PDB file of all heavy atoms in Angstrom:
ATOM      1  N   THR A   6       1.996  -0.615  11.705  1.00 98.00           N
ATOM      2  CA  THR A   6       3.330  -0.256  11.220  1.00 98.00           C
ATOM      3  C   THR A   6       3.175   0.388   9.835  1.00 98.00           C
ATOM      4  O   THR A   6       2.282   0.015   9.071  1.00 98.00           O
ATOM      5  CB  THR A   6       4.271  -1.474  11.109  1.00 98.00           C
ATOM      6  OG1 THR A   6       3.859  -2.271   9.993  1.00 98.00           O
ATOM      7  CG2 THR A   6       4.291  -2.307  12.379  1.00 98.00           C
ATOM      8  N   ILE A  77      -1.992  -6.262  15.443  1.00 99.00           N
ATOM      9  CA  ILE A  77      -0.954  -5.540  14.700  1.00 99.00           C
ATOM     10  C   ILE A  77      -1.331  -5.595  13.235  1.00 99.00           C
ATOM     11  O   ILE A  77      -1.607  -6.688  12.705  1.00 99.00           O
ATOM     12  CB  ILE A  77       0.434  -6.172  14.908  1.00 99.00           C
ATOM     13  CG1 ILE A  77       0.841  -6.084  16.381  1.00 99.00           C
ATOM     14  CG2 ILE A  77       1.475  -5.487  14.018  1.00 99.00           C
ATOM     15  CD1 ILE A  77       2.145  -6.817  16.715  1.00 99.00           C
ATOM     16  N   TYR A  78      -1.393  -4.453  12.587  1.00 99.00           N
ATOM     17  CA  TYR A  78      -1.574  -4.398  11.138  1.00 99.00           C
ATOM     18  C   TYR A  78      -0.230  -3.941  10.574  1.00 99.00           C
ATOM     19  O   TYR A  78       0.224  -2.822  10.838  1.00 99.00           O
ATOM     20  CB  TYR A  78      -2.669  -3.393  10.745  1.00 99.00           C
ATOM     21  CG  TYR A  78      -4.077  -3.753  11.205  1.00 99.00           C
ATOM     22  CD1 TYR A  78      -5.134  -2.854  11.030  1.00 99.00           C
ATOM     23  CD2 TYR A  78      -4.372  -4.976  11.799  1.00 99.00           C
ATOM     24  CE1 TYR A  78      -6.423  -3.165  11.417  1.00 99.00           C
ATOM     25  CE2 TYR A  78      -5.661  -5.290  12.204  1.00 99.00           C
ATOM     26  CZ  TYR A  78      -6.681  -4.380  12.016  1.00 99.00           C
ATOM     27  OH  TYR A  78      -7.970  -4.691  12.422  1.00 99.00           O
ATOM     28  N   HIS A  79       0.408  -4.827   9.801  1.00 98.00           N
ATOM     29  CA  HIS A  79       1.795  -4.586   9.382  1.00 98.00           C
ATOM     30  C   HIS A  79       1.845  -4.088   7.940  1.00 98.00           C
ATOM     31  O   HIS A  79       1.668  -4.874   6.999  1.00 98.00           O
ATOM     32  CB  HIS A  79       2.596  -5.877   9.550  1.00 98.00           C
ATOM     33  CG  HIS A  79       3.989  -5.815   9.035  1.00 98.00           C
ATOM     34  ND1 HIS A  79       4.777  -4.685   9.121  1.00 98.00           N
ATOM     35  CD2 HIS A  79       4.762  -6.761   8.412  1.00 98.00           C
ATOM     36  CE1 HIS A  79       5.965  -4.936   8.566  1.00 98.00           C
ATOM     37  NE2 HIS A  79       5.968  -6.178   8.126  1.00 98.00           N
ATOM     38  N   LEU A  80       2.120  -2.790   7.778  1.00 98.00           N
ATOM     39  CA  LEU A  80       2.216  -2.198   6.437  1.00 98.00           C
ATOM     40  C   LEU A  80       3.578  -1.590   6.153  1.00 98.00           C
ATOM     41  O   LEU A  80       3.841  -1.173   5.017  1.00 98.00           O
ATOM     42  CB  LEU A  80       1.139  -1.117   6.236  1.00 98.00           C
ATOM     43  CG  LEU A  80      -0.299  -1.630   6.203  1.00 98.00           C
ATOM     44  CD1 LEU A  80      -0.927  -1.572   7.594  1.00 98.00           C
ATOM     45  CD2 LEU A  80      -1.149  -0.850   5.218  1.00 98.00           C
ATOM     46  N   ALA A  81       4.442  -1.488   7.166  1.00 98.00           N
ATOM     47  CA  ALA A  81       5.747  -0.852   6.942  1.00 98.00           C
ATOM     48  C   ALA A  81       6.524  -1.641   5.898  1.00 98.00           C
ATOM     49  O   ALA A  81       6.654  -2.867   5.997  1.00 98.00           O
ATOM     50  CB  ALA A  81       6.540  -0.807   8.243  1.00 98.00           C
ATOM     51  N   ALA A  82       7.009  -0.945   4.894  1.00 98.00           N
ATOM     52  CA  ALA A  82       7.778  -1.620   3.848  1.00 98.00           C
ATOM     53  C   ALA A  82       8.442  -0.577   2.968  1.00 98.00           C
ATOM     54  O   ALA A  82       8.041   0.585   2.950  1.00 98.00           O
ATOM     55  CB  ALA A  82       6.860  -2.493   2.985  1.00 98.00           C
ATOM     56  N   THR A  99      14.253  -4.022   5.297  1.00 98.00           N
ATOM     57  CA  THR A  99      12.961  -3.707   5.928  1.00 98.00           C
ATOM     58  C   THR A  99      11.932  -4.799   5.669  1.00 98.00           C
ATOM     59  O   THR A  99      11.275  -5.277   6.595  1.00 98.00           O
ATOM     60  CB  THR A  99      12.445  -2.344   5.421  1.00 98.00           C
ATOM     61  OG1 THR A  99      13.209  -1.322   6.049  1.00 98.00           O
ATOM     62  CG2 THR A  99      10.971  -2.148   5.753  1.00 98.00           C
ATOM     63  N   ASN A 100      11.798  -5.207   4.417  1.00 98.00           N
ATOM     64  CA  ASN A 100      10.674  -6.100   4.095  1.00 98.00           C
ATOM     65  C   ASN A 100      10.893  -7.513   4.622  1.00 98.00           C
ATOM     66  O   ASN A 100       9.932  -8.159   5.037  1.00 98.00           O
ATOM     67  CB  ASN A 100      10.427  -6.122   2.585  1.00 98.00           C
ATOM     68  CG  ASN A 100      10.077  -4.739   2.038  1.00 98.00           C
ATOM     69  OD1 ASN A 100      10.028  -3.764   2.783  1.00 98.00           O
ATOM     70  ND2 ASN A 100       9.849  -4.643   0.753  1.00 98.00           N
ATOM     71  N   ILE A 101      12.139  -7.970   4.621  1.00 98.00           N
ATOM     72  CA  ILE A 101      12.376  -9.346   5.091  1.00 98.00           C
ATOM     73  C   ILE A 101      12.862  -9.355   6.545  1.00 98.00           C
ATOM     74  O   ILE A 101      12.197  -9.900   7.421  1.00 98.00           O
ATOM     75  CB  ILE A 101      13.388 -10.079   4.176  1.00 98.00           C
ATOM     76  CG1 ILE A 101      12.909 -10.038   2.708  1.00 98.00           C
ATOM     77  CG2 ILE A 101      13.548 -11.529   4.645  1.00 98.00           C
ATOM     78  CD1 ILE A 101      13.823 -10.712   1.712  1.00 98.00           C
ATOM     79  N   THR A 104      10.316  -7.636   8.832  1.00 98.00           N
ATOM     80  CA  THR A 104       9.117  -8.458   9.101  1.00 98.00           C
ATOM     81  C   THR A 104       9.467  -9.595  10.056  1.00 98.00           C
ATOM     82  O   THR A 104       8.710  -9.890  10.991  1.00 98.00           O
ATOM     83  CB  THR A 104       8.525  -8.993   7.782  1.00 98.00           C
ATOM     84  OG1 THR A 104       8.132  -7.877   6.990  1.00 98.00           O
ATOM     85  CG2 THR A 104       7.318  -9.892   8.028  1.00 98.00           C
ATOM     86  N   LEU A 107       9.760  -8.042  13.566  1.00 98.00           N
ATOM     87  CA  LEU A 107       8.433  -7.721  14.096  1.00 98.00           C
ATOM     88  C   LEU A 107       7.703  -8.996  14.527  1.00 98.00           C
ATOM     89  O   LEU A 107       7.093  -9.054  15.610  1.00 98.00           O
ATOM     90  CB  LEU A 107       7.649  -6.993  12.995  1.00 98.00           C
ATOM     91  CG  LEU A 107       6.252  -6.501  13.349  1.00 98.00           C
ATOM     92  CD1 LEU A 107       6.313  -5.404  14.410  1.00 98.00           C
ATOM     93  CD2 LEU A 107       5.559  -5.946  12.084  1.00 98.00           C
ATOM     94  N   LEU A 108       7.767 -10.035  13.688  1.00 98.00           N
ATOM     95  CA  LEU A 108       7.102 -11.297  14.013  1.00 98.00           C
ATOM     96  C   LEU A 108       7.672 -11.907  15.292  1.00 98.00           C
ATOM     97  O   LEU A 108       6.930 -12.397  16.150  1.00 98.00           O
ATOM     98  CB  LEU A 108       7.320 -12.307  12.880  1.00 98.00           C
ATOM     99  CG  LEU A 108       6.392 -12.242  11.683  1.00 98.00           C
ATOM    100  CD1 LEU A 108       6.936 -13.151  10.574  1.00 98.00           C
ATOM    101  CD2 LEU A 108       4.971 -12.651  12.061  1.00 98.00           C
ATOM    102  N   ARG A 127      -4.529 -10.732  16.821  1.00 98.00           N
ATOM    103  CA  ARG A 127      -4.380 -10.925  15.368  1.00 98.00           C
ATOM    104  C   ARG A 127      -3.172 -10.145  14.851  1.00 98.00           C
ATOM    105  O   ARG A 127      -2.924  -9.017  15.290  1.00 98.00           O
ATOM    106  CB  ARG A 127      -5.621 -10.419  14.612  1.00 98.00           C
ATOM    107  CG  ARG A 127      -6.897 -11.178  14.891  1.00 98.00           C
ATOM    108  CD  ARG A 127      -6.845 -12.576  14.280  1.00 98.00           C
ATOM    109  NE  ARG A 127      -8.053 -13.359  14.542  1.00 98.00           N
ATOM    110  CZ  ARG A 127      -8.271 -14.110  15.618  1.00 98.00           C
ATOM    111  NH1 ARG A 127      -7.365 -14.183  16.583  1.00 98.00           N
ATOM    112  NH2 ARG A 127      -9.384 -14.807  15.739  1.00 98.00           N
ATOM    113  N   PHE A 128      -2.503 -10.747  13.864  1.00 99.00           N
ATOM    114  CA  PHE A 128      -1.386 -10.086  13.173  1.00 99.00           C
ATOM    115  C   PHE A 128      -1.715 -10.137  11.682  1.00 99.00           C
ATOM    116  O   PHE A 128      -1.727 -11.223  11.083  1.00 99.00           O
ATOM    117  CB  PHE A 128      -0.079 -10.832  13.455  1.00 99.00           C
ATOM    118  CG  PHE A 128       1.153 -10.216  12.821  1.00 99.00           C
ATOM    119  CD1 PHE A 128       2.027  -9.437  13.576  1.00 99.00           C
ATOM    120  CD2 PHE A 128       1.447 -10.422  11.475  1.00 99.00           C
ATOM    121  CE1 PHE A 128       3.177  -8.887  12.998  1.00 99.00           C
ATOM    122  CE2 PHE A 128       2.583  -9.866  10.890  1.00 99.00           C
ATOM    123  CZ  PHE A 128       3.455  -9.097  11.656  1.00 99.00           C
ATOM    124  N   LEU A 129      -2.025  -8.992  11.097  1.00 99.00           N
ATOM    125  CA  LEU A 129      -2.348  -8.947   9.667  1.00 99.00           C
ATOM    126  C   LEU A 129      -1.162  -8.389   8.894  1.00 99.00           C
ATOM    127  O   LEU A 129      -0.723  -7.257   9.138  1.00 99.00           O
ATOM    128  CB  LEU A 129      -3.566  -8.047   9.421  1.00 99.00           C
ATOM    129  CG  LEU A 129      -3.889  -7.824   7.937  1.00 99.00           C
ATOM    130  CD1 LEU A 129      -4.302  -9.117   7.251  1.00 99.00           C
ATOM    131  CD2 LEU A 129      -4.971  -6.757   7.777  1.00 99.00           C
ATOM    132  N   HIS A 130      -0.667  -9.196   7.976  1.00 98.00           N
ATOM    133  CA  HIS A 130       0.465  -8.792   7.137  1.00 98.00           C
ATOM    134  C   HIS A 130      -0.078  -8.338   5.783  1.00 98.00           C
ATOM    135  O   HIS A 130      -0.771  -9.101   5.100  1.00 98.00           O
ATOM    136  CB  HIS A 130       1.405  -9.992   6.957  1.00 98.00           C
ATOM    137  CG  HIS A 130       2.517  -9.749   6.002  1.00 98.00           C
ATOM    138  ND1 HIS A 130       3.491  -8.798   6.215  1.00 98.00           N
ATOM    139  CD2 HIS A 130       2.820 -10.343   4.813  1.00 98.00           C
ATOM    140  CE1 HIS A 130       4.347  -8.826   5.199  1.00 98.00           C
ATOM    141  NE2 HIS A 130       3.960  -9.737   4.333  1.00 98.00           N
ATOM    142  N   VAL A 131       0.249  -7.104   5.397  1.00 98.00           N
ATOM    143  CA  VAL A 131      -0.310  -6.527   4.166  1.00 98.00           C
ATOM    144  C   VAL A 131       0.706  -6.668   3.041  1.00 98.00           C
ATOM    145  O   VAL A 131       1.823  -6.154   3.126  1.00 98.00           O
ATOM    146  CB  VAL A 131      -0.675  -5.054   4.406  1.00 98.00           C
ATOM    147  CG1 VAL A 131      -1.205  -4.427   3.118  1.00 98.00           C
ATOM    148  CG2 VAL A 131      -1.718  -4.953   5.518  1.00 98.00           C
ATOM    149  N   SER A 132       0.298  -7.400   2.014  1.00 98.00           N
ATOM    150  CA  SER A 132       1.233  -7.662   0.925  1.00 98.00           C
ATOM    151  C   SER A 132       0.593  -7.357  -0.432  1.00 98.00           C
ATOM    152  O   SER A 132      -0.469  -6.748  -0.513  1.00 98.00           O
ATOM    153  CB  SER A 132       1.735  -9.107   1.013  1.00 98.00           C
ATOM    154  OG  SER A 132       2.787  -9.303   0.089  1.00 98.00           O
ATOM    155  N   THR A 133       1.265  -7.800  -1.460  1.00 98.00           N
ATOM    156  CA  THR A 133       0.937  -7.369  -2.815  1.00 98.00           C
ATOM    157  C   THR A 133       0.606  -8.548  -3.719  1.00 98.00           C
ATOM    158  O   THR A 133       1.099  -9.663  -3.501  1.00 98.00           O
ATOM    159  CB  THR A 133       2.154  -6.610  -3.411  1.00 98.00           C
ATOM    160  OG1 THR A 133       1.943  -6.413  -4.798  1.00 98.00           O
ATOM    161  CG2 THR A 133       3.457  -7.385  -3.248  1.00 98.00           C
ATOM    162  N   VAL A 136       3.508 -10.691  -5.827  1.00 98.00           N
ATOM    163  CA  VAL A 136       4.176 -11.952  -5.466  1.00 98.00           C
ATOM    164  C   VAL A 136       3.806 -13.062  -6.442  1.00 98.00           C
ATOM    165  O   VAL A 136       4.544 -14.033  -6.594  1.00 98.00           O
ATOM    166  CB  VAL A 136       3.833 -12.415  -4.027  1.00 98.00           C
ATOM    167  CG1 VAL A 136       4.308 -11.413  -3.000  1.00 98.00           C
ATOM    168  CG2 VAL A 136       2.337 -12.684  -3.867  1.00 98.00           C
ATOM    169  N   TYR A 152       3.555 -18.618  -6.114  1.00 98.00           N
ATOM    170  CA  TYR A 152       4.369 -17.398  -6.077  1.00 98.00           C
ATOM    171  C   TYR A 152       5.417 -17.432  -7.203  1.00 98.00           C
ATOM    172  O   TYR A 152       6.043 -18.463  -7.450  1.00 98.00           O
ATOM    173  CB  TYR A 152       5.081 -17.277  -4.727  1.00 98.00           C
ATOM    174  CG  TYR A 152       4.224 -16.651  -3.638  1.00 98.00           C
ATOM    175  CD1 TYR A 152       2.846 -16.827  -3.608  1.00 98.00           C
ATOM    176  CD2 TYR A 152       4.801 -15.866  -2.635  1.00 98.00           C
ATOM    177  CE1 TYR A 152       2.060 -16.241  -2.623  1.00 98.00           C
ATOM    178  CE2 TYR A 152       4.025 -15.283  -1.644  1.00 98.00           C
ATOM    179  CZ  TYR A 152       2.658 -15.474  -1.639  1.00 98.00           C
ATOM    180  OH  TYR A 152       1.895 -14.882  -0.674  1.00 98.00           O
ATOM    181  N   SER A 161      11.014  -9.622  -2.217  1.00 98.00           N
ATOM    182  CA  SER A 161      11.146  -9.368  -0.770  1.00 98.00           C
ATOM    183  C   SER A 161       9.786  -9.490  -0.079  1.00 98.00           C
ATOM    184  O   SER A 161       9.689  -9.989   1.040  1.00 98.00           O
ATOM    185  CB  SER A 161      11.782  -7.998  -0.503  1.00 98.00           C
ATOM    186  OG  SER A 161      10.900  -6.940  -0.849  1.00 98.00           O
ATOM    187  N   LYS A 162       8.719  -9.071  -0.761  1.00 98.00           N
ATOM    188  CA  LYS A 162       7.384  -9.216  -0.165  1.00 98.00           C
ATOM    189  C   LYS A 162       6.997 -10.694  -0.094  1.00 98.00           C
ATOM    190  O   LYS A 162       6.373 -11.141   0.865  1.00 98.00           O
ATOM    191  CB  LYS A 162       6.348  -8.436  -0.971  1.00 98.00           C
ATOM    192  CG  LYS A 162       6.481  -6.929  -0.901  1.00 98.00           C
ATOM    193  CD  LYS A 162       6.289  -6.337   0.496  1.00 98.00           C
ATOM    194  CE  LYS A 162       4.881  -6.436   1.000  1.00 98.00           C
ATOM    195  NZ  LYS A 162       4.708  -5.690   2.284  1.00 98.00           N
ATOM    196  N   ALA A 163       7.358 -11.459  -1.134  1.00 98.00           N
ATOM    197  CA  ALA A 163       7.053 -12.894  -1.128  1.00 98.00           C
ATOM    198  C   ALA A 163       7.720 -13.556   0.079  1.00 98.00           C
ATOM    199  O   ALA A 163       7.101 -14.349   0.801  1.00 98.00           O
ATOM    200  CB  ALA A 163       7.536 -13.531  -2.426  1.00 98.00           C
ATOM    201  N   ALA A 164       8.980 -13.199   0.317  1.00 98.00           N
ATOM    202  CA  ALA A 164       9.699 -13.782   1.469  1.00 98.00           C
ATOM    203  C   ALA A 164       8.969 -13.441   2.767  1.00 98.00           C
ATOM    204  O   ALA A 164       8.803 -14.299   3.647  1.00 98.00           O
ATOM    205  CB  ALA A 164      11.133 -13.250   1.496  1.00 98.00           C
ATOM    206  N   SER A 165       8.512 -12.208   2.876  1.00 98.00           N
ATOM    207  CA  SER A 165       7.860 -11.814   4.131  1.00 98.00           C
ATOM    208  C   SER A 165       6.525 -12.538   4.303  1.00 98.00           C
ATOM    209  O   SER A 165       6.161 -12.922   5.418  1.00 98.00           O
ATOM    210  CB  SER A 165       7.695 -10.293   4.217  1.00 98.00           C
ATOM    211  OG  SER A 165       6.836  -9.808   3.202  1.00 98.00           O
ATOM    212  N   ASP A 166       5.799 -12.763   3.207  1.00 98.00           N
ATOM    213  CA  ASP A 166       4.535 -13.527   3.300  1.00 98.00           C
ATOM    214  C   ASP A 166       4.824 -14.933   3.834  1.00 98.00           C
ATOM    215  O   ASP A 166       4.105 -15.450   4.696  1.00 98.00           O
ATOM    216  CB  ASP A 166       3.886 -13.689   1.923  1.00 98.00           C
ATOM    217  CG  ASP A 166       3.421 -12.384   1.300  1.00 98.00           C
ATOM    218  OD1 ASP A 166       3.735 -11.313   1.838  1.00 98.00           O
ATOM    219  OD2 ASP A 166       2.737 -12.449   0.246  1.00 98.00           O
ATOM    220  N   HIS A 167       5.888 -15.560   3.301  1.00 98.00           N
ATOM    221  CA  HIS A 167       6.217 -16.920   3.745  1.00 98.00           C
ATOM    222  C   HIS A 167       6.585 -16.943   5.232  1.00 98.00           C
ATOM    223  O   HIS A 167       6.245 -17.891   5.943  1.00 98.00           O
ATOM    224  CB  HIS A 167       7.394 -17.472   2.928  1.00 98.00           C
ATOM    225  CG  HIS A 167       7.038 -17.746   1.486  1.00 98.00           C
ATOM    226  ND1 HIS A 167       5.866 -18.338   1.101  1.00 98.00           N
ATOM    227  CD2 HIS A 167       7.706 -17.510   0.341  1.00 98.00           C
ATOM    228  CE1 HIS A 167       5.828 -18.457  -0.213  1.00 98.00           C
ATOM    229  NE2 HIS A 167       6.933 -17.956  -0.706  1.00 98.00           N
ATOM    230  N   LEU A 168       7.264 -15.893   5.681  1.00 98.00           N
ATOM    231  CA  LEU A 168       7.619 -15.850   7.110  1.00 98.00           C
ATOM    232  C   LEU A 168       6.354 -15.832   7.973  1.00 98.00           C
ATOM    233  O   LEU A 168       6.258 -16.549   8.972  1.00 98.00           O
ATOM    234  CB  LEU A 168       8.480 -14.608   7.404  1.00 98.00           C
ATOM    235  CG  LEU A 168       9.914 -14.662   6.883  1.00 98.00           C
ATOM    236  CD1 LEU A 168      10.615 -13.314   7.085  1.00 98.00           C
ATOM    237  CD2 LEU A 168      10.710 -15.765   7.594  1.00 98.00           C
ATOM    238  N   VAL A 169       5.372 -15.022   7.581  1.00 98.00           N
ATOM    239  CA  VAL A 169       4.147 -14.928   8.387  1.00 98.00           C
ATOM    240  C   VAL A 169       3.433 -16.283   8.417  1.00 98.00           C
ATOM    241  O   VAL A 169       3.007 -16.755   9.483  1.00 98.00           O
ATOM    242  CB  VAL A 169       3.208 -13.829   7.835  1.00 98.00           C
ATOM    243  CG1 VAL A 169       1.899 -13.793   8.630  1.00 98.00           C
ATOM    244  CG2 VAL A 169       3.902 -12.466   7.895  1.00 98.00           C
ATOM    245  N   MET A 170       3.347 -16.940   7.265  1.00 98.00           N
ATOM    246  CA  MET A 170       2.698 -18.258   7.219  1.00 98.00           C
ATOM    247  C   MET A 170       3.486 -19.286   8.045  1.00 98.00           C
ATOM    248  O   MET A 170       2.901 -20.133   8.723  1.00 98.00           O
ATOM    249  CB  MET A 170       2.584 -18.737   5.770  1.00 98.00           C
ATOM    250  CG  MET A 170       1.505 -18.018   5.005  1.00 98.00           C
ATOM    251  SD  MET A 170      -0.066 -18.110   5.896  1.00 98.00           S
ATOM    252  CE  MET A 170      -1.074 -17.097   4.846  1.00 98.00           C
ATOM    253  N   PRO A 179      -1.129 -16.216  15.504  1.00 98.00           N
ATOM    254  CA  PRO A 179      -2.377 -15.886  14.807  1.00 98.00           C
ATOM    255  C   PRO A 179      -2.205 -14.857  13.681  1.00 98.00           C
ATOM    256  O   PRO A 179      -2.692 -13.720  13.755  1.00 98.00           O
ATOM    257  CB  PRO A 179      -3.270 -15.345  15.926  1.00 98.00           C
ATOM    258  CG  PRO A 179      -2.327 -14.812  16.945  1.00 98.00           C
ATOM    259  CD  PRO A 179      -1.094 -15.653  16.874  1.00 98.00           C
ATOM    260  N   GLY A 180      -1.537 -15.274  12.615  1.00 98.00           N
ATOM    261  CA  GLY A 180      -1.264 -14.377  11.491  1.00 98.00           C
ATOM    262  C   GLY A 180      -2.214 -14.614  10.328  1.00 98.00           C
ATOM    263  O   GLY A 180      -2.752 -15.711  10.148  1.00 98.00           O
ATOM    264  N   LEU A 181      -2.415 -13.572   9.544  1.00 98.00           N
ATOM    265  CA  LEU A 181      -3.152 -13.655   8.272  1.00 98.00           C
ATOM    266  C   LEU A 181      -2.397 -12.788   7.276  1.00 98.00           C
ATOM    267  O   LEU A 181      -1.691 -11.848   7.666  1.00 98.00           O
ATOM    268  CB  LEU A 181      -4.557 -13.077   8.365  1.00 98.00           C
ATOM    269  CG  LEU A 181      -5.541 -13.546   9.419  1.00 98.00           C
ATOM    270  CD1 LEU A 181      -5.422 -12.690  10.668  1.00 98.00           C
ATOM    271  CD2 LEU A 181      -6.953 -13.429   8.871  1.00 98.00           C
ATOM    272  N   VAL A 182      -2.615 -13.085   5.984  1.00 98.00           N
ATOM    273  CA  VAL A 182      -1.938 -12.309   4.938  1.00 98.00           C
ATOM    274  C   VAL A 182      -2.984 -11.791   3.968  1.00 98.00           C
ATOM    275  O   VAL A 182      -3.917 -12.517   3.602  1.00 98.00           O
ATOM    276  CB  VAL A 182      -0.919 -13.187   4.171  1.00 98.00           C
ATOM    277  CG1 VAL A 182      -0.298 -12.424   2.999  1.00 98.00           C
ATOM    278  CG2 VAL A 182       0.180 -13.687   5.110  1.00 98.00           C
ATOM    279  N   SER A 183      -2.827 -10.527   3.540  1.00 98.00           N
ATOM    280  CA  SER A 183      -3.672 -10.028   2.443  1.00 98.00           C
ATOM    281  C   SER A 183      -2.761  -9.629   1.294  1.00 98.00           C
ATOM    282  O   SER A 183      -1.669  -9.097   1.511  1.00 98.00           O
ATOM    283  CB  SER A 183      -4.512  -8.835   2.912  1.00 98.00           C
ATOM    284  OG  SER A 183      -3.694  -7.735   3.193  1.00 98.00           O
ATOM    285  N   ASN A 184      -3.203  -9.933   0.073  1.00 98.00           N
ATOM    286  CA  ASN A 184      -2.424  -9.569  -1.132  1.00 98.00           C
ATOM    287  C   ASN A 184      -3.325  -8.718  -2.009  1.00 98.00           C
ATOM    288  O   ASN A 184      -4.366  -9.190  -2.471  1.00 98.00           O
ATOM    289  CB  ASN A 184      -2.001 -10.828  -1.902  1.00 98.00           C
ATOM    290  CG  ASN A 184      -1.034 -11.670  -1.095  1.00 98.00           C
ATOM    291  OD1 ASN A 184      -1.459 -12.497  -0.296  1.00 98.00           O
ATOM    292  ND2 ASN A 184       0.247 -11.460  -1.266  1.00 98.00           N
ATOM    293  N   CYS A 185      -2.916  -7.482  -2.213  1.00 98.00           N
ATOM    294  CA  CYS A 185      -3.823  -6.573  -2.937  1.00 98.00           C
ATOM    295  C   CYS A 185      -3.204  -6.094  -4.241  1.00 98.00           C
ATOM    296  O   CYS A 185      -1.991  -6.183  -4.457  1.00 98.00           O
ATOM    297  CB  CYS A 185      -4.161  -5.373  -2.066  1.00 98.00           C
ATOM    298  SG  CYS A 185      -2.780  -4.293  -1.808  1.00 98.00           S
ATOM    299  N   LEU A 234      -9.008  -4.410   4.887  1.00 98.00           N
ATOM    300  CA  LEU A 234      -7.981  -4.868   5.832  1.00 98.00           C
ATOM    301  C   LEU A 234      -8.559  -5.072   7.232  1.00 98.00           C
ATOM    302  O   LEU A 234      -8.295  -6.089   7.892  1.00 98.00           O
ATOM    303  CB  LEU A 234      -6.819  -3.850   5.871  1.00 98.00           C
ATOM    304  CG  LEU A 234      -6.007  -3.760   4.582  1.00 98.00           C
ATOM    305  CD1 LEU A 234      -4.944  -2.666   4.696  1.00 98.00           C
ATOM    306  CD2 LEU A 234      -5.350  -5.100   4.255  1.00 98.00           C
ATOM    307  N   ILE A 237     -10.714  -8.189   7.207  1.00 98.00           N
ATOM    308  CA  ILE A 237      -9.922  -9.428   7.173  1.00 98.00           C
ATOM    309  C   ILE A 237      -9.366  -9.724   8.568  1.00 98.00           C
ATOM    310  O   ILE A 237      -9.442 -10.862   9.056  1.00 98.00           O
ATOM    311  CB  ILE A 237      -8.782  -9.318   6.131  1.00 98.00           C
ATOM    312  CG1 ILE A 237      -9.360  -9.252   4.717  1.00 98.00           C
ATOM    313  CG2 ILE A 237      -7.809 -10.492   6.265  1.00 98.00           C
ATOM    314  CD1 ILE A 237      -8.360  -8.830   3.647  1.00 98.00           C
ATOM    315  N   ALA A 238      -8.833  -8.705   9.217  1.00 98.00           N
ATOM    316  CA  ALA A 238      -8.272  -8.931  10.557  1.00 98.00           C
ATOM    317  C   ALA A 238      -9.376  -9.280  11.550  1.00 98.00           C
ATOM    318  O   ALA A 238      -9.156 -10.051  12.489  1.00 98.00           O
ATOM    319  CB  ALA A 238      -7.514  -7.687  11.020  1.00 98.00           C
ATOM    320  N   ALA A 245      -4.864 -17.870   6.852  1.00 98.00           N
ATOM    321  CA  ALA A 245      -5.383 -17.782   5.475  1.00 98.00           C
ATOM    322  C   ALA A 245      -4.847 -16.534   4.782  1.00 98.00           C
ATOM    323  O   ALA A 245      -4.368 -15.589   5.420  1.00 98.00           O
ATOM    324  CB  ALA A 245      -6.915 -17.749   5.483  1.00 98.00           C
ATOM    325  N   THR A 246      -4.944 -16.579   3.446  1.00 98.00           N
ATOM    326  CA  THR A 246      -4.612 -15.435   2.612  1.00 98.00           C
ATOM    327  C   THR A 246      -5.903 -14.901   2.009  1.00 98.00           C
ATOM    328  O   THR A 246      -6.779 -15.691   1.640  1.00 98.00           O
ATOM    329  CB  THR A 246      -3.677 -15.895   1.465  1.00 98.00           C
ATOM    330  OG1 THR A 246      -2.416 -16.221   2.029  1.00 98.00           O
ATOM    331  CG2 THR A 246      -3.490 -14.813   0.426  1.00 98.00           C
ATOM    332  N   TYR A 247      -6.018 -13.588   1.908  1.00 98.00           N
ATOM    333  CA  TYR A 247      -7.168 -12.972   1.227  1.00 98.00           C
ATOM    334  C   TYR A 247      -6.652 -12.030   0.162  1.00 98.00           C
ATOM    335  O   TYR A 247      -5.853 -11.124   0.451  1.00 98.00           O
ATOM    336  CB  TYR A 247      -8.036 -12.201   2.231  1.00 98.00           C
ATOM    337  CG  TYR A 247      -8.766 -13.128   3.163  1.00 98.00           C
ATOM    338  CD1 TYR A 247      -8.147 -13.597   4.323  1.00 98.00           C
ATOM    339  CD2 TYR A 247     -10.048 -13.576   2.874  1.00 98.00           C
ATOM    340  CE1 TYR A 247      -8.787 -14.481   5.178  1.00 98.00           C
ATOM    341  CE2 TYR A 247     -10.706 -14.472   3.723  1.00 98.00           C
ATOM    342  CZ  TYR A 247     -10.069 -14.919   4.871  1.00 98.00           C
ATOM    343  OH  TYR A 247     -10.709 -15.806   5.711  1.00 98.00           O
TER     344      TYR A 247
END
Side-chain angles (χ1 to χ4, degrees):
T6 72
I77 297 174
Y78 295 173
H79 174 36
L80 293 93
T99 285
N100 299 0
I101 305 180
T104 298
L107 183 66
L108 276 170
R127 295 290 179 273
F128 182 101
L129 174 65
H130 174 63
V131 178
S132 189
T133 169
V136 298
Y152 276 32
S161 70
K162 291 297 291 187
S165 64
D166 295 9
H167 291 317
L168 287 173
V169 177
M170 285 307 176
L181 306 91
V182 175
S183 67
N184 295 86
C185 69
L234 293 176
I237 293 167
T246 290
Y247 290 85

